[in-house]
Amino acid sequence: MTTKDIVYIALFAALTAALGIVPPIPTGFGINITAQSLGVMLAGSLAGARRGGLAMMLFLALIAIGLPLLAGGRGGMAALVGPWSGYVLAWPLCAFLIGALLARRKDANVWLIGAIIAFGGIVVMHAFGIVWYAIFSEIPLGVAFVNNSIFIPGDLVKVVIAALLTNGLRRAYPNL
Amino acid sequence: MLDLYTPGKSIFHRTSPGPKFLLLLIAGTTLFFVDAVWAPLLALCATLVLYRVAGLPQRKALEQLRPVLWLFLFFFVLQWWLSGPYLAAFVVLRLAALLLLASLVTLTTRSSDMIDTITRSLRFLRPIGVNPDKVGLAISLALRFIPVLSNITTEVREAQKARGLERSVLAVAMPVAIRTIKMADDISDAIDSRGYRS
């Protein structure tokens, strides 16, 4: 692993933490819509599969050691073992998948980039989050699925931002 | 360092992070495999006793649960409606016990001690290509980057304000992204040029 890899891993872990400063939108269920999953999408689409995935693992490690880096100042082990933690725990996998799929299509246009980011950042992340939530709180998958839908509009906005940014950066910085 | 640590001199504060994480892991796994309501109830009482042992007031324990109070209520009502009061109590008690125990570990352990423990325990992974020093470098860099990123964002937002573009997400995000990537490249060149072995 080169020094550049280490710096990129640290940068995208820090980006995800910095996005936690953006004030979250409360949903009323004790869990908020935050800007942080944008960091996950960008880690995958800009840093690549391996660096993006490791960046998210580093971020989770920083949470685990007790730094309040999740939106709303949450952190510590308690933030990783709650009923809504499935989303956060899926972040390394999501970033890895987005990076791996994008690496295979260097010529992707903005629509394909968006579709890939939506797959990793919404489909995979939400699938993980829903199953974790259903197992954790012993409720049927269907109910968890319906509860989950409040996050979809916000995540679609994040996918659009991530896709436009990735598309622009791929042109501004061809050897990213 | 900004963390959730609460100073103290109890045995819980003095124990190294490793055993505390092991306790959390064992307790968490056990709670998920025992399907009787006495288990989370017992765990909850034991955790409250541990709070006392750690010299933390019961008020501190309540504080940990306050942010998820509405979530608990929502769960309780939903679970009661779906499968009755017994399972509702079981799920909420289990959740409370787990969250309180996890918070106890966080409250009594300094982040810097945890970083030391992590880098030390990663030594066992050296044969499969994990270099603990590089993990340490990545942790310090990430912590340093957080304020740098918010400074860059403030600067770009002010520059775009002068152009009347401060409300456009992309007009702010794109220059921020380009500048931070460029900064990352410069930093890795700087580290390499000072002879850091990678």
Side-chain angles (χ1 to χ4, degrees):
Chain A
M1 193 178 289
T2 64
T3 309
K4 193 176 162 184
D5 290 337
I6 298 171
V7 175
Y8 271 53
I9 290 168
L11 177 67
F12 283 92
L15 174 71
T16 309
L19 283 168
I21 301 169
V22 180
I25 308 166
T27 61
F29 298 114
I31 184 79
N32 303 322
I33 296 171
T34 77
Q36 285 194 299
S37 47
L38 181 60
V40 185
M41 298 170 186
L42 290 175
S45 69
L46 297 180
R50 201 170 56 116
R51 293 185 293 196
L54 286 172
M56 290 305 109
M57 282 172 70
L58 175 61
F59 180 76
L60 292 189
L62 294 178
I63 297 292
I65 64 174
L67 300 176
L69 297 180
L70 284 171
R74 291 177 308 123
M77 285 305 292
L80 296 180
V81 296
W84 297 94
S85 305
Y87 300 93
V88 177
L89 293 172
W91 284 1
L93 177 70
C94 298
F96 181 87
L97 278 178
I98 292 172
L101 289 172
L102 277 175
R104 300 174 61 145
R105 295 295 300 267
K106 284 281 177 208
D107 57 336
N109 63 11
V110 71
W111 295 102
L112 183 60
I113 294 175
I116 290 173
I117 293 176
F119 172 73
I122 297 186
V123 178
V124 175
M125 192 191 296
H126 287 215
F128 239 82
I130 291 170
V131 172
W132 177 281
Y133 172 54
I135 293 174
F136 211 106
S137 42
E138 315 230 342
I139 60 169
L141 268 177
V143 179
F145 190 79
V146 173
N147 285 345
N148 174 74
S149 56
I150 43 172
F151 297 116
I152 291 185
D155 278 356
L156 282 174
V157 174
K158 282 175 257 176
V159 166
V160 172
I161 296 174
L164 290 173
L165 269 178
T166 306
N167 192 43
L169 264 167
R170 279 188 155 194
R171 272 184 283 163
Y173 236 86
N175 51 351
L176 195 64
Chain B
M1 205 191 297
L2 93 156
D3 58 12
L4 304 166
Y5 178 73
T6 316
K9 287 191 192 313
S10 75
I11 175 143
F12 226 78
H13 285 83
R14 279 178 283 129
T15 315
S16 68
K20 281 189 270 192
F21 267 90
L22 208 62
L23 172 75
L24 183 60
L25 192 70
I26 293 171
T29 321
T30 315
L31 274 178
F32 266 86
F33 282 105
V34 183
D35 265 342
V37 80
W38 57 262
L41 200 60
L42 187 73
L44 190 62
C45 295
T47 308
L48 287 175
V49 171
L50 283 177
Y51 267 79
R52 177 61 54 84
V53 171
L56 297 165
Q58 303 289 324
R59 182 175 46 84
K60 198 86 191 170
L62 265 174
E63 257 170 47
Q64 306 306 315
L65 291 179
R66 194 168 303 146
V68 285
L69 222 54
W70 286 108
L71 187 63
F72 278 12
L73 199 67
F74 170 71
F75 269 163
F76 193 74
V77 172
L78 184 70
Q79 204 62 254
W80 190 310
W81 178 64
L82 286 170
S83 38
Y86 180 78
L87 201 62
F90 173 71
V91 168
V92 169
L93 279 174
R94 183 172 70 181
L95 198 60
L98 203 56
L99 287 183
L100 275 179
L101 191 62
S103 298
L104 181 64
V105 173
T106 305
L107 283 171
T108 58
T109 318
R110 276 200 185 85
S111 293
S112 48
D113 290 343
M114 294 215 209
I115 293 176
D116 287 346
T117 307
I118 289 175
T119 40
R120 225 177 318 119
S121 53
L122 284 177
R123 259 179 228 156
F124 296 106
L125 296 178
R126 217 185 261 277
I128 61 160
V130 177
N131 184 341
D133 298 330
K134 286 184 184 174
V135 178
L137 176 67
I139 293 176
S140 343
L141 275 175
L143 294 178
R144 182 66 193 101
F145 276 152
I146 298 169
V148 172
L149 279 172
S150 62
N151 282 348
I152 291 178
T153 311
T154 314
E155 275 178 38
V156 171
R157 192 176 286 149
E158 275 169 11
Q160 296 297 45
K161 206 172 188 171
R163 303 181 178 93
L165 285 173
E166 77 273 18
R167 287 197 176 278
S168 160
V169 176
L170 224 47
V172 175
M174 189 68 88
V176 170
I178 294 176
R179 266 183 67 177
T180 44
I181 302 255
K182 219 171 141 38
M183 175 195 72
D185 287 346
D186 290 346
I187 288 175
S188 63
D189 284 345
I191 294 173
D192 276 337
S193 66
R194 280 161 182 76
Y196 184 81
R197 279 190 298 156
S198 57

PDB file of all heavy atoms in Angstrom, chain A residues 139-140 143, chain B residues 74-85 88:
ATOM      1  N   ILE A 139     -39.195  -7.660  14.362  1.00  0.00           N
ATOM      2  CA  ILE A 139     -40.418  -7.300  13.649  1.00  0.00           C
ATOM      3  C   ILE A 139     -40.325  -7.893  12.244  1.00  0.00           C
ATOM      4  O   ILE A 139     -39.232  -8.177  11.764  1.00  0.00           O
ATOM      5  CB  ILE A 139     -40.633  -5.766  13.574  1.00  0.00           C
ATOM      6  CG1 ILE A 139     -39.478  -5.110  12.842  1.00  0.00           C
ATOM      7  CG2 ILE A 139     -40.825  -5.171  14.935  1.00  0.00           C
ATOM      8  CD1 ILE A 139     -39.741  -3.679  12.516  1.00  0.00           C
ATOM      9  N   PRO A 140     -41.477  -8.116  11.579  1.00  0.00           N
ATOM     10  CA  PRO A 140     -41.441  -8.719  10.235  1.00  0.00           C
ATOM     11  C   PRO A 140     -40.696  -7.832   9.244  1.00  0.00           C
ATOM     12  O   PRO A 140     -40.698  -6.596   9.373  1.00  0.00           O
ATOM     13  CB  PRO A 140     -42.920  -8.824   9.858  1.00  0.00           C
ATOM     14  CG  PRO A 140     -43.671  -8.673  11.120  1.00  0.00           C
ATOM     15  CD  PRO A 140     -42.839  -7.862  12.047  1.00  0.00           C
ATOM     16  N   VAL A 143     -42.672  -4.847   7.632  1.00  0.00           N
ATOM     17  CA  VAL A 143     -42.829  -3.631   8.436  1.00  0.00           C
ATOM     18  C   VAL A 143     -41.544  -2.811   8.395  1.00  0.00           C
ATOM     19  O   VAL A 143     -41.571  -1.587   8.244  1.00  0.00           O
ATOM     20  CB  VAL A 143     -43.207  -3.992   9.891  1.00  0.00           C
ATOM     21  CG1 VAL A 143     -43.339  -2.737  10.726  1.00  0.00           C
ATOM     22  CG2 VAL A 143     -44.486  -4.797   9.921  1.00  0.00           C
TER      23      VAL A 143
ATOM     24  N   PHE B  74     -41.507   3.825  20.424  1.00  0.00           N
ATOM     25  CA  PHE B  74     -41.990   3.396  19.110  1.00  0.00           C
ATOM     26  C   PHE B  74     -41.903   1.879  18.971  1.00  0.00           C
ATOM     27  O   PHE B  74     -42.854   1.206  18.563  1.00  0.00           O
ATOM     28  CB  PHE B  74     -41.146   4.106  18.038  1.00  0.00           C
ATOM     29  CG  PHE B  74     -41.348   3.591  16.643  1.00  0.00           C
ATOM     30  CD1 PHE B  74     -42.533   3.833  15.960  1.00  0.00           C
ATOM     31  CD2 PHE B  74     -40.335   2.886  16.013  1.00  0.00           C
ATOM     32  CE1 PHE B  74     -42.704   3.355  14.677  1.00  0.00           C
ATOM     33  CE2 PHE B  74     -40.504   2.406  14.733  1.00  0.00           C
ATOM     34  CZ  PHE B  74     -41.695   2.641  14.069  1.00  0.00           C
ATOM     35  N   PHE B  75     -40.767   1.321  19.368  1.00  0.00           N
ATOM     36  CA  PHE B  75     -40.570  -0.133  19.336  1.00  0.00           C
ATOM     37  C   PHE B  75     -41.594  -0.849  20.192  1.00  0.00           C
ATOM     38  O   PHE B  75     -42.164  -1.857  19.803  1.00  0.00           O
ATOM     39  CB  PHE B  75     -39.194  -0.490  19.882  1.00  0.00           C
ATOM     40  CG  PHE B  75     -38.153  -0.560  18.840  1.00  0.00           C
ATOM     41  CD1 PHE B  75     -36.826  -0.519  19.170  1.00  0.00           C
ATOM     42  CD2 PHE B  75     -38.512  -0.684  17.515  1.00  0.00           C
ATOM     43  CE1 PHE B  75     -35.863  -0.582  18.206  1.00  0.00           C
ATOM     44  CE2 PHE B  75     -37.552  -0.751  16.542  1.00  0.00           C
ATOM     45  CZ  PHE B  75     -36.225  -0.692  16.898  1.00  0.00           C
ATOM     46  N   PHE B  76     -41.763  -0.329  21.398  1.00  0.00           N
ATOM     47  CA  PHE B  76     -42.634  -0.967  22.369  1.00  0.00           C
ATOM     48  C   PHE B  76     -44.056  -1.053  21.817  1.00  0.00           C
ATOM     49  O   PHE B  76     -44.684  -2.113  21.821  1.00  0.00           O
ATOM     50  CB  PHE B  76     -42.600  -0.167  23.674  1.00  0.00           C
ATOM     51  CG  PHE B  76     -43.196  -0.887  24.830  1.00  0.00           C
ATOM     52  CD1 PHE B  76     -42.521  -1.932  25.435  1.00  0.00           C
ATOM     53  CD2 PHE B  76     -44.443  -0.540  25.307  1.00  0.00           C
ATOM     54  CE1 PHE B  76     -43.070  -2.621  26.503  1.00  0.00           C
ATOM     55  CE2 PHE B  76     -45.003  -1.219  26.372  1.00  0.00           C
ATOM     56  CZ  PHE B  76     -44.316  -2.264  26.976  1.00  0.00           C
ATOM     57  N   VAL B  77     -44.540   0.086  21.293  1.00  0.00           N
ATOM     58  CA  VAL B  77     -45.896   0.127  20.765  1.00  0.00           C
ATOM     59  C   VAL B  77     -46.030  -0.795  19.551  1.00  0.00           C
ATOM     60  O   VAL B  77     -46.953  -1.607  19.448  1.00  0.00           O
ATOM     61  CB  VAL B  77     -46.279   1.581  20.389  1.00  0.00           C
ATOM     62  CG1 VAL B  77     -47.616   1.618  19.662  1.00  0.00           C
ATOM     63  CG2 VAL B  77     -46.307   2.454  21.625  1.00  0.00           C
ATOM     64  N   LEU B  78     -45.050  -0.702  18.648  1.00  0.00           N
ATOM     65  CA  LEU B  78     -45.078  -1.518  17.429  1.00  0.00           C
ATOM     66  C   LEU B  78     -45.066  -3.011  17.776  1.00  0.00           C
ATOM     67  O   LEU B  78     -45.841  -3.806  17.245  1.00  0.00           O
ATOM     68  CB  LEU B  78     -43.867  -1.164  16.572  1.00  0.00           C
ATOM     69  CG  LEU B  78     -43.769  -1.858  15.208  1.00  0.00           C
ATOM     70  CD1 LEU B  78     -44.828  -1.335  14.261  1.00  0.00           C
ATOM     71  CD2 LEU B  78     -42.388  -1.643  14.603  1.00  0.00           C
ATOM     72  N   GLN B  79     -44.187  -3.360  18.715  1.00  0.00           N
ATOM     73  CA  GLN B  79     -44.020  -4.766  19.096  1.00  0.00           C
ATOM     74  C   GLN B  79     -45.250  -5.297  19.823  1.00  0.00           C
ATOM     75  O   GLN B  79     -45.662  -6.432  19.609  1.00  0.00           O
ATOM     76  CB  GLN B  79     -42.780  -4.863  19.990  1.00  0.00           C
ATOM     77  CG  GLN B  79     -42.126  -6.198  20.017  1.00  0.00           C
ATOM     78  CD  GLN B  79     -41.609  -6.628  18.660  1.00  0.00           C
ATOM     79  OE1 GLN B  79     -42.189  -7.490  18.037  1.00  0.00           O
ATOM     80  NE2 GLN B  79     -40.535  -6.015  18.222  1.00  0.00           N
ATOM     81  N   TRP B  80     -45.832  -4.463  20.652  1.00  0.00           N
ATOM     82  CA  TRP B  80     -47.041  -4.855  21.384  1.00  0.00           C
ATOM     83  C   TRP B  80     -48.141  -5.161  20.386  1.00  0.00           C
ATOM     84  O   TRP B  80     -48.841  -6.181  20.468  1.00  0.00           O
ATOM     85  CB  TRP B  80     -47.476  -3.711  22.318  1.00  0.00           C
ATOM     86  CG  TRP B  80     -48.558  -4.097  23.285  1.00  0.00           C
ATOM     87  CD1 TRP B  80     -49.731  -4.722  22.996  1.00  0.00           C
ATOM     88  CD2 TRP B  80     -48.548  -3.885  24.697  1.00  0.00           C
ATOM     89  NE1 TRP B  80     -50.448  -4.912  24.126  1.00  0.00           N
ATOM     90  CE2 TRP B  80     -49.746  -4.408  25.194  1.00  0.00           C
ATOM     91  CE3 TRP B  80     -47.644  -3.290  25.582  1.00  0.00           C
ATOM     92  CZ2 TRP B  80     -50.076  -4.369  26.545  1.00  0.00           C
ATOM     93  CZ3 TRP B  80     -47.987  -3.246  26.910  1.00  0.00           C
ATOM     94  CH2 TRP B  80     -49.180  -3.783  27.398  1.00  0.00           C
ATOM     95  N   TRP B  81     -48.255  -4.269  19.406  1.00  0.00           N
ATOM     96  CA  TRP B  81     -49.288  -4.402  18.380  1.00  0.00           C
ATOM     97  C   TRP B  81     -49.042  -5.655  17.523  1.00  0.00           C
ATOM     98  O   TRP B  81     -49.973  -6.366  17.157  1.00  0.00           O
ATOM     99  CB  TRP B  81     -49.283  -3.135  17.521  1.00  0.00           C
ATOM    100  CG  TRP B  81     -50.245  -3.145  16.396  1.00  0.00           C
ATOM    101  CD1 TRP B  81     -51.600  -3.194  16.472  1.00  0.00           C
ATOM    102  CD2 TRP B  81     -49.922  -3.103  15.005  1.00  0.00           C
ATOM    103  NE1 TRP B  81     -52.140  -3.193  15.226  1.00  0.00           N
ATOM    104  CE2 TRP B  81     -51.144  -3.132  14.299  1.00  0.00           C
ATOM    105  CE3 TRP B  81     -48.724  -3.025  14.289  1.00  0.00           C
ATOM    106  CZ2 TRP B  81     -51.192  -3.103  12.902  1.00  0.00           C
ATOM    107  CZ3 TRP B  81     -48.776  -2.985  12.915  1.00  0.00           C
ATOM    108  CH2 TRP B  81     -49.995  -3.030  12.227  1.00  0.00           C
ATOM    109  N   LEU B  82     -47.785  -5.950  17.242  1.00  0.00           N
ATOM    110  CA  LEU B  82     -47.469  -7.089  16.371  1.00  0.00           C
ATOM    111  C   LEU B  82     -47.501  -8.413  17.117  1.00  0.00           C
ATOM    112  O   LEU B  82     -48.007  -9.409  16.602  1.00  0.00           O
ATOM    113  CB  LEU B  82     -46.070  -6.912  15.763  1.00  0.00           C
ATOM    114  CG  LEU B  82     -45.926  -5.888  14.652  1.00  0.00           C
ATOM    115  CD1 LEU B  82     -44.458  -5.670  14.344  1.00  0.00           C
ATOM    116  CD2 LEU B  82     -46.653  -6.356  13.398  1.00  0.00           C
ATOM    117  N   SER B  83     -46.941  -8.445  18.330  1.00  0.00           N
ATOM    118  CA  SER B  83     -46.781  -9.754  18.956  1.00  0.00           C
ATOM    119  C   SER B  83     -46.962  -9.749  20.469  1.00  0.00           C
ATOM    120  O   SER B  83     -46.519 -10.668  21.142  1.00  0.00           O
ATOM    121  CB  SER B  83     -45.422 -10.346  18.595  1.00  0.00           C
ATOM    122  OG  SER B  83     -44.442  -9.339  18.566  1.00  0.00           O
ATOM    123  N   GLY B  84     -47.595  -8.727  21.006  1.00  0.00           N
ATOM    124  CA  GLY B  84     -47.958  -8.783  22.413  1.00  0.00           C
ATOM    125  C   GLY B  84     -46.943  -8.157  23.353  1.00  0.00           C
ATOM    126  O   GLY B  84     -45.810  -7.877  22.973  1.00  0.00           O
ATOM    127  N   PRO B  85     -47.376  -7.937  24.594  1.00  0.00           N
ATOM    128  CA  PRO B  85     -46.566  -7.188  25.567  1.00  0.00           C
ATOM    129  C   PRO B  85     -45.291  -7.912  25.983  1.00  0.00           C
ATOM    130  O   PRO B  85     -44.298  -7.275  26.295  1.00  0.00           O
ATOM    131  CB  PRO B  85     -47.511  -7.030  26.763  1.00  0.00           C
ATOM    132  CG  PRO B  85     -48.528  -8.099  26.597  1.00  0.00           C
ATOM    133  CD  PRO B  85     -48.681  -8.326  25.130  1.00  0.00           C
ATOM    134  N   ALA B  88     -42.614  -7.285  23.473  1.00  0.00           N
ATOM    135  CA  ALA B  88     -42.341  -5.843  23.486  1.00  0.00           C
ATOM    136  C   ALA B  88     -41.369  -5.508  24.613  1.00  0.00           C
ATOM    137  O   ALA B  88     -40.374  -4.816  24.412  1.00  0.00           O
ATOM    138  CB  ALA B  88     -43.640  -5.069  23.636  1.00  0.00           C
TER     139      ALA B  88
END
